[in-house]
Amino acid sequence: MEGPTPVSALIHAATMVTAGVFLIIRCSPLFEHAPTVLVAVTNIGAGTAFMAATSGLLQNDLKKVIAYSTCSQLGYMVFVCGLSGYTASLFHLSTHAFFKALLFLSAGAVIHAVASEQDLRRFGGLRQLLPYTYAAFFVGSIALMGVPFLSGFYSKDLILEISGGSVAISASFAYSLGLISAFFTSFYSFRLLHLAFYGSARTGRLPLTQTHELSPRMATALFVLALGTVFLGIFGRDIFVGPGTDF
């Protein structure tokens, strides 16, 4: 959390998450021959999704809310691997990379605009001052929530569908925690948007007249990630989990 925000975006979108989940996916033949281990993977993943989601509810640091969200989504990817849904896990890993990188870079834009302030309790009213950043943050947040027809909806709901329809021993436990965690995800995402962009300004470190929108180069990066956030689920669902796919 002390590093530059682009580094945080890269870690949470493409390296930290990828390492463990991708290793489980690649080792899926080994896991399939160890049913007891699959139960443990399911329970640990579901518990992680729930624990991190509850932690994210109470954070006041802008980046920490998003970081706990990453940990929660990582739990989803892991527990569906325990239910033998390896393709769904990789699908969520791919879609999550886009909207989580979008959220972190948008958070960096907000922090940059308000003189390195990260305490949500000192934000407020930034929607009019940073409209482009707000739009990017909003798209990333609703994709994280799983709003229909965005990328997070296709992959996250697929994980819940697999856990809800599975006959595995720990499937009902994972499904219950997954649903609760999904509710918590929506709650802290709305809380983040409300505290940062709505209401009256509460920042004291910098007059709001000095806040500034992104440079064109930074805005382009957010735009590219927003495109992936919106369209990867629609165009990628048949590649990953469509009828007859051999992905």
Side-chain angles (χ1 to χ4, degrees):
M1 290 298 96
E2 301 304 322
T5 309
V7 176
S8 299
L10 188 62
I11 289 172
H12 286 260
T15 54
M16 183 182 74
V17 172
T18 303
V21 174
F22 191 69
L23 183 63
I24 295 175
I25 294 169
R26 293 291 290 175
C27 295
S28 56
L30 297 176
F31 281 88
E32 287 303 303
H33 288 287
T36 305
V37 175
L38 287 179
V39 173
V41 168
T42 303
N43 290 336
I44 292 171
T48 300
F50 177 77
M51 177 278 297
T54 55
S55 299
L57 292 174
L58 304 174
Q59 299 300 314
N60 292 313
D61 186 296
L62 175 61
K63 287 176 69 177
K64 284 186 178 180
V65 176
I66 306 173
Y68 275 111
S69 168
T70 301
C71 192
S72 180
Q73 299 308 304
L74 175 61
Y76 277 95
M77 299 173 207
V78 170
F79 87 63
V80 78
C81 284
L83 299 173
S84 302
Y86 303 102
T87 307
S89 178
L90 188 60
F91 187 26
H92 193 51
L93 177 66
S94 303
T95 58
H96 173 265
F98 280 92
F99 57 76
K100 191 51 59 70
L102 178 63
L103 283 172
F104 261 110
L105 290 182
S106 300
V110 172
I111 294 167
H112 180 65
V114 293
S116 300
E117 180 62 70
Q118 292 185 211
D119 193 334
L120 285 168
R121 295 168 295 185
R122 303 190 67 177
F123 288 169
L126 295 177
R127 182 164 53 103
Q128 289 81 16
L129 299 169
L130 305 171
Y132 186 89
T133 303
Y134 164 73
F137 218 117
F138 183 79
V139 170
S141 294
I142 61 175
L144 172 63
M145 296 175 205
V147 170
F149 310 118
L150 295 177
S151 59
F153 163 74
Y154 291 99
S155 57
K156 194 173 179 180
D157 269 29
L158 177 62
I159 290 175
L160 292 173
E161 182 180 343
I162 289 173
S163 60
S166 175
V167 295
I169 297 172
S170 53
S172 58
F173 172 75
Y175 180 62
S176 300
L177 288 188
L179 283 180
I180 297 170
S181 301
F183 170 76
F184 286 161
T185 300
S186 298
F187 186 90
Y188 65 64
S189 296
F190 274 118
R191 174 178 177 267
L192 181 61
L193 285 171
H194 177 75
L195 290 177
F197 295 102
Y198 292 89
S200 57
R202 299 180 297 276
T203 181
R205 292 189 56 173
L206 182 75
L208 289 181
T209 54
Q210 296 182 28
T211 58
H212 54 282
E213 190 57 280
L214 292 170
S215 67
R217 181 179 297 179
M218 296 167 69
T220 301
L222 293 186
F223 179 73
V224 172
L225 290 170
L227 286 179
T229 298
V230 174
F231 295 112
L232 181 63
I234 297 173
F235 294 110
R237 68 189 193 279
D238 288 335
I239 297 173
F240 285 94
V241 292
T245 180
D246 57 354
F247 188 77

